[in-house]
Amino acid sequence: MRPGEIDEIRKLPLFAAMLPENFDALFRGAYVQNFPPQIELIREGDPADFLHVVLEGSVELFATWNNRETTMATVAPIATFILAATIKNGPYLMSARTLEKARVILLPSADVRKTFTTDPGFAQAIILDLAQCYRSVVKSHKDLKLRTSVERLANYLLRKDHQAGEQGHFDLKIEKRRLASYLGMTAENLSRAIRTLNGYGVEIEGSQVRITDRKDLAAFAKPTPLIDDPKC
Amino acid sequence: MRPGEIDEIRKLPLFAAMLPENFDALFRGAYVQNFPPQIELIREGDPADFLHVVLEGSVELFATWNNRETTMATVAPIATFILAATIKNGPYLMSARTLEKARVILLPSADVRKTFTTDPGFAQAIILDLAQCYRSVVKSHKDLKLRTSVERLANYLLRKDHQAGEQGHFDLKIEKRRLASYLGMTAENLSRAIRTLNGYGVEIEGSQVRITDRKDLAAFAKPTPLIDDPKC
DNA sequence: TTAGAGTCTTGATAAAGATCAAGCGAGGAA
DNA sequence: TTCCTCGCTTGATCTTTATCAAGACTCTAA
């Protein structure tokens, strides 16, 4: 592991409250690995042998059934993924692949499970992390069941604009076909949805998004914190 | 509270590992209430003041946006709901209403939060419960994104048949319009979906379901534990 | 620099699903 | 009982979304 990296990880909410000896022991058993783009890190159905921490690059979580595939989430540094499977000692429910070159830490699941039963600070942090994850999937589920595809796109753009400081312009940072899959539509329909939003103050050129009339867009999108606020 | 009730609750995985003094203290602050059918117990957006435990009757969790409404889950006794909101001390993401006459315990959220920081057994149980909840929403999300409405219905019927012991017949125990909403379709389309499944060994009369050819139905539904096994 | 592969867009068409309207039937209240 | 409400079903129609096909564009590697 590189100097400084371990300190960054230590600052993650999930690990910050661990006892020093437990943190050290847990990460002594860790593997750090560098992966090229488009590598499958995890296949759904496999036993959850490792908890993953993305240090650099980005990772896509996706799911498949009957030859269909859908993007469930993208994970950006520094963050963990597949915590629930590790804890339940169950199979992965989602697959994961690198989108760019990525640097990932693998923590043996057995060590994680052993640690959280004896370290109350770690247990607290896991509780908060899982509650957060649960609520964010519930929000996605509401998004999908209650909104049309154009409405989902409109709200997605407002969320990203907000995260980028409401500057009115930002970079998508994801291929459109993956965004389409994430939003539960086809790439073709994403193109058409963008055109529809041209009429509500949205301009997209390549990966550059410009929101020229946030009021108009928000009037159309009707965002609510109960779906669209990631911190709530 | 009625005699015996408290013992049943004590056996719930969430509470079984608590220290006796903490369990007693937590439930000394509890309110037991009886509600008629169709009463709104919780409105989404309200602060999560109570953790709820259903003792009798059943409760529907639903969500709304822009005058649309969708059923997210139904809770049968004995089970808790809205644990994540209680823990995060955030607003409810879903509303809840009684479907039948219901008996519910309300545990002040502040007490729950206080307790889990000091009771390791309770913390462990919360971790497992949240991980389970998280994984079950992920499965629902996959179901919704990867399958058509007829496929969702087919797999739902197989799951319920399995839970009823694979007898080949069982009772829906839920109004069809609510089932439709839960499955992400309209009541009209549920009717049509049922007709489609008549061709695959499914007969439904009122709330009575009969599966006359499970093989045929499974060949159509293509169930997978990674979506359809509630225990996995 | 060019060839090739993959992405994105657009149009035409098909499928899935929602809405509207009407009628049936079960269950509850007067 | 009778009336009324509400849930369920069915058909017709409309909207939304997916699929198929083709061309433009972008990026990369030889």
Side-chain angles (χ1 to χ4, degrees), chain A residues 197-218:
Chain A
L197 292 186
N198 287 160
Y200 297 90
V202 173
E203 290 166 18
I204 303 186
E205 280 221 13
S207 68
Q208 292 304 309
V209 180
R210 185 165 296 276
I211 294 179
T212 57
D213 188 343
R214 187 179 296 112
K215 251 193 173 164
D216 209 17
L217 181 57

Side-chain angles (χ1 to χ4, degrees), chain A residues 1-230:
Chain A
M1 214 172 304
R2 294 175 191 157
E5 253 173 15
I6 194 77
D7 302 314
E8 289 300 314
I9 295 167
R10 186 61 153 135
K11 285 183 201 151
L12 288 177
L14 188 58
F15 300 115
M18 283 180 82
L19 294 173
E21 59 267 33
N22 288 337
F23 181 81
D24 294 343
L26 185 59
F27 279 82
R28 261 197 299 279
Y31 306 87
V32 184
Q33 296 203 303
N34 294 292
F35 296 98
Q38 304 300 335
I39 292 293
E40 193 164 297
L41 302 177
I42 281 175
R43 173 162 303 176
E44 56 178 312
D46 284 354
D49 293 328
F50 297 98
L51 174 63
H52 294 243
V53 187
V54 190
L55 295 177
E56 289 173 11
S58 61
V59 172
E60 175 184 35
L61 302 183
F62 63 100
T64 55
W65 179 78
N66 195 25
N67 290 321
R68 297 169 210 168
E69 176 180 320
T70 189
T71 299
M72 301 289 285
T74 58
V75 186
I78 303 177
T80 62
F81 60 93
I82 316 279
L83 177 58
T86 289
I87 282 165
K88 293 277 299 182
N89 196 13
Y92 295 120
L93 295 182
M94 298 183 272
S95 300
R97 69 165 73 93
T98 56
L99 292 176
E100 324 154 54
K101 275 177 56 179
R103 195 168 156 76
V104 178
I105 300 189
L106 308 178
L107 298 170
S109 292
D111 296 353
V112 174
R113 284 194 299 274
K114 204 186 305 167
T115 307
F116 86 74
T117 54
T118 57
D119 188 322
F122 191 35
Q124 300 303 310
I126 288 175
I127 287 174
L128 290 176
D129 200 272
L130 285 174
Q132 180 68 48
C133 287
Y134 170 74
R135 283 166 68 87
S136 98
V137 193
V138 168
K139 283 178 228 159
S140 292
H141 207 67
K142 289 170 65 175
D143 192 44
L144 199 57
K145 285 186 88 175
L146 290 167
R147 289 172 171 160
T148 66
S149 58
V150 184
E151 289 165 347
R152 290 196 295 276
L153 173 62
N155 281 291
Y156 177 88
L157 295 174
L158 284 172
R159 288 198 299 269
K160 289 297 165 184
D161 181 52
H162 180 75
Q163 284 168 28
E166 304 206 339
Q167 304 235 296
H169 59 91
F170 61 93
D171 192 295
L172 277 181
K173 289 185 198 131
I174 179 177
E175 282 174 291
K176 284 186 183 154
R177 67 196 191 91
R178 292 185 202 281
L179 175 58
S181 177
Y182 173 71
L183 292 174
M185 61 178 106
T186 58
E188 293 94 324
N189 278 330
L190 175 58
S191 271
R192 288 184 264 262
I194 290 171
R195 279 193 128 205
T196 302
L197 292 186
N198 287 160
Y200 297 90
V202 173
E203 290 166 18
I204 303 186
E205 280 221 13
S207 68
Q208 292 304 309
V209 180
R210 185 165 296 276
I211 294 179
T212 57
D213 188 343
R214 187 179 296 112
K215 251 193 173 164
D216 209 17
L217 181 57
F220 173 81
K222 299 186 180 63
T224 164
L226 300 179
I227 299 180
D228 302 295
D229 183 351

Side-chain angles (χ1 to χ4, degrees), chain B residues 9 19 28 37 58 62 72 79 87-88 90 99 110 120 125 133 137 143 148 153 169 192 195 202 211 223 227 229 231:
Chain B
I9 295 168
L19 294 173
R28 261 196 300 278
S58 61
F62 64 100
M72 302 288 285
I87 282 166
K88 295 276 299 180
L99 292 177
C133 286
V137 192
D143 192 44
T148 66
L153 173 62
H169 60 91
R192 287 185 264 262
R195 278 192 129 204
V202 173
I211 294 179
I227 299 180
D229 184 350
K231 288 180 295 296

Side-chain angles (χ1 to χ4, degrees), chain B residues 123-165:
Chain B
Q124 300 304 309
I126 289 175
I127 287 175
L128 291 176
D129 200 271
L130 285 174
Q132 180 67 49
C133 286
Y134 170 75
R135 283 165 70 87
S136 98
V137 192
V138 168
K139 283 178 231 160
S140 292
H141 206 68
K142 290 170 65 174
D143 192 44
L144 199 57
K145 285 186 89 174
L146 290 166
R147 289 173 171 161
T148 66
S149 58
V150 184
E151 288 164 349
R152 289 197 295 277
L153 173 62
N155 281 290
Y156 177 88
L157 294 175
L158 284 172
R159 288 197 300 270
K160 290 298 166 184
D161 181 52
H162 181 75
Q163 284 168 28

Side-chain angles (χ1 to χ4, degrees), chain B residues 199-217:
Chain B
Y200 296 90
V202 173
E203 290 167 18
I204 303 186
E205 279 222 13
S207 67
Q208 292 303 308
V209 180
R210 184 165 297 276
I211 294 179
T212 57
D213 188 342
R214 187 179 295 112
K215 250 193 172 162
D216 209 16
L217 180 57

